[in-house]
């Protein structure tokens, strides 16, 4: 069985960059572990749970999410500016990156495959309600749908509405119920 | 240890790390991703430059007629290589030669 050409080229790239002192195997391994274990949607879910239980925190999160994330020391570097948009009775928000795959790594980890797909990137702007319906999300006609286009400069995360039948428990329990897709805005809780 | 990085979750009442969606489909994809982050972190390029290159590669790929499976990490790897070529820290000839050398290894080579 011949080796995958992309895999071979990636391996060649890594070996050349190591030889030239630009990379180390350990640094690459560490980043893989970091994104595997410590950067992920649990960070965003914790912000959501805190916002639901602490109005002051919620106000800060909505006015300057970048500062909140920096204070909490979340890893996942590429968030230059994070904006959190709130779902309400009047508005449903959904996030996309039409140009490539910009995504708030620090709070949601790495994007799922469909987020990077050309179909999602183009269609959610043109026909957001149809795309949301495919995720099983029916937004009532009287509710507005807002689509936010993430870029290298500004990345968006949705603050979902807390379901009415959830009790205001401790934030860990609440965070456990907050799904990644609800923070992208393609689903509701 | 698993070869795939799984990060994520589906909708529903699941702890966020529990039902991981495969973000990387092969180990080389996670290594290319980590290489880009590492080079950025050590100051070889600002992330915005990589982003701009990625947007360019994806735009030209989006303009081609689709042939089925969307190969995001092929674009990601191409963007990284292009950027390093522009920066003069890598030459295509060296990369081609190293790739060819690896391709010629005897089968079963353990790397």
């Amino acid at each position: 069985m011949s080796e995958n050409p992309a895999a071979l080229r990636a391996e060649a790239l890594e070996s050349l960059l190591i030889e030239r002192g630009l990379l180390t195997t350990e640094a690459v391994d560490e980043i893989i572990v970091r994104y595997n274990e410590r950067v992920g949607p649990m960070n965003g879910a914790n912000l959501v749970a805190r916002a639901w239980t602490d109005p002051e925190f919620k106000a800060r999160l909505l006015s300057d999410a970048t500062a909140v994330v920096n204070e909490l020391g979340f890893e996942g570097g590429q968030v230059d500016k994070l904006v959190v948009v709130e779902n309400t009775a009047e508005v449903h928000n959904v996030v996309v990156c039409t140009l490539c795959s910009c995504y708030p790594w620090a709070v949601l980890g790495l994007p799922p495959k469909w987020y990077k797909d050309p179909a999602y990137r183009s269609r959610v702007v043109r026909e957001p309600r149809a795309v949301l319906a495919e995720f099983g999300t029916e937004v009532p006609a009287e509710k507005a749908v807002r689509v936010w286009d993430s870029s290298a400069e500004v990345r968006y995360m949705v603050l979902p509405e807390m379901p009415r039948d959830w009790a205001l428990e401790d934030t860990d329990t609440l965070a456990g119920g907050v799904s990644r897709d609800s923070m992208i805005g393609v689903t509701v809780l | 240890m698993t070869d795939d990085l799984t990060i994520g979750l589906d909708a529903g009442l699941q702890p966020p790390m529990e039902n991981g969606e495969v973000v990387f489909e092969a180990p080389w994809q996670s290594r290319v991703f980590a290489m880009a982050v590492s080079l950025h972190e050590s100051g070889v390029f600002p992330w915005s430059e990589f982003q701009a290159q990625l947007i360019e590669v994806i735009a030209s790929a989006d303009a081609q007629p689709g042939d089925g499976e969307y190969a995001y990490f092929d674009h990601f790897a191409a963007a990284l290589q292009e950027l390093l070529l522009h920066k003069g820290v890598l030459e295509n000839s060296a990369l081609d030669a190293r790739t060819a050398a690896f391709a010629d290894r005897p089968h079963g080579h353990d790397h």
Side-chain angles (χ1 to χ4, degrees):
Chain A
M1 192 184 119
S2 66
E3 291 182 81
N4 172 342
L8 274 176
R9 204 163 173 84
E11 194 191 348
L13 179 65
E14 185 173 352
S15 95
L16 278 174
L17 293 172
I18 288 170
E19 221 166 79
R20 295 177 182 196
L22 294 166
L23 271 187
T24 63
T25 304
E26 293 70 29
V28 173
D29 289 344
E30 189 280 320
I31 290 165
I32 292 174
V33 170
R34 186 199 310 167
Y35 278 87
N36 197 14
E37 294 174 3
R38 302 200 297 278
V39 179
M42 63 285 191
N43 290 333
N46 284 326
L47 295 182
V48 169
R50 277 187 68 185
W52 285 342
T53 52
D54 178 350
E56 219 168 284
F57 179 81
K58 178 175 160 183
R60 283 186 54 224
L61 187 66
L62 292 175
S63 69
D64 191 354
T66 315
V68 171
V69 165
N70 288 339
E71 262 165 50
L72 293 172
F74 287 170
E75 297 173 277
Q78 279 64 34
V79 174
D80 298 306
K81 183 170 165 62
L82 175 68
V83 171
V84 174
V85 289
E86 184 187 15
N87 281 352
T88 64
E90 288 80 38
V91 180
H92 179 87
N93 297 286
V94 59
V95 179
V96 65
C97 169
T98 55
L99 289 180
C100 53
S101 51
C102 296
Y103 192 74
W105 295 356
V107 287
L108 295 186
L110 300 178
K113 196 164 192 295
W114 54 260
Y115 185 84
K116 300 176 283 193
D117 198 274
Y120 178 74
R121 290 192 281 116
S122 59
R123 286 188 56 226
V124 77
V125 178
R126 280 202 320 270
E127 40 175 4
R129 285 173 195 272
V131 172
L132 290 172
E134 287 164 26
F135 279 91
T137 307
E138 302 288 346
V139 181
E142 63 275 17
K143 200 182 249 208
V145 174
R146 266 187 217 146
V147 182
W148 300 84
D149 193 359
S150 282
S151 67
E153 289 78 37
V154 185
R155 286 130 202 271
Y156 297 95
M157 182 190 114
V158 174
L159 174 60
E161 285 182 283
M162 189 173 99
R164 286 170 197 277
D165 56 346
W166 287 15
L168 273 179
E169 299 171 79
D170 62 292
T171 51
D172 285 351
T173 308
L174 283 172
V178 179
S179 69
R180 177 200 65 201
D181 288 357
S182 74
M183 295 182 281
I184 301 176
V186 290
T187 62
V188 292
L189 299 171
Chain B
M1 144 148 197
T2 170
D3 281 328
D4 290 324
L5 280 182
T6 55
I7 295 175
L9 74 165
D10 284 338
L13 301 181
Q14 306 258 358
M17 290 300 279
E18 287 262 288
N19 91 57
E21 174 168 343
V22 177
V23 172
F24 299 115
E25 293 167 322
W28 73 264
Q29 297 180 346
S30 61
R31 295 204 76 77
V32 164
F33 167 79
M35 278 187 245
V37 173
S38 180
L39 291 166
H40 157 68
E41 287 179 352
S42 54
V44 176
F45 50 76
W47 194 254
S48 57
E49 282 186 22
F50 176 73
Q51 207 76 44
Q53 190 71 56
L54 183 62
I55 288 171
E56 205 175 289
V57 170
I58 288 177
S60 77
D62 281 357
Q64 309 289 320
D67 56 348
E69 192 65 2
Y70 182 61
Y72 174 77
F73 276 101
D74 288 352
H75 304 326
F76 191 100
L80 180 59
Q81 287 164 33
E82 277 297 309
L83 183 59
L84 295 173
L85 298 176
H86 291 325
K87 295 247 156 218
V89 298
L90 186 74
E91 316 78 47
N92 252 329
S93 53
L95 187 56
D96 288 346
R98 184 64 55 93
T99 308
F102 283 172
D104 285 342
R105 285 177 306 206
H107 292 309
H109 173 80
D110 183 27
H111 52 85

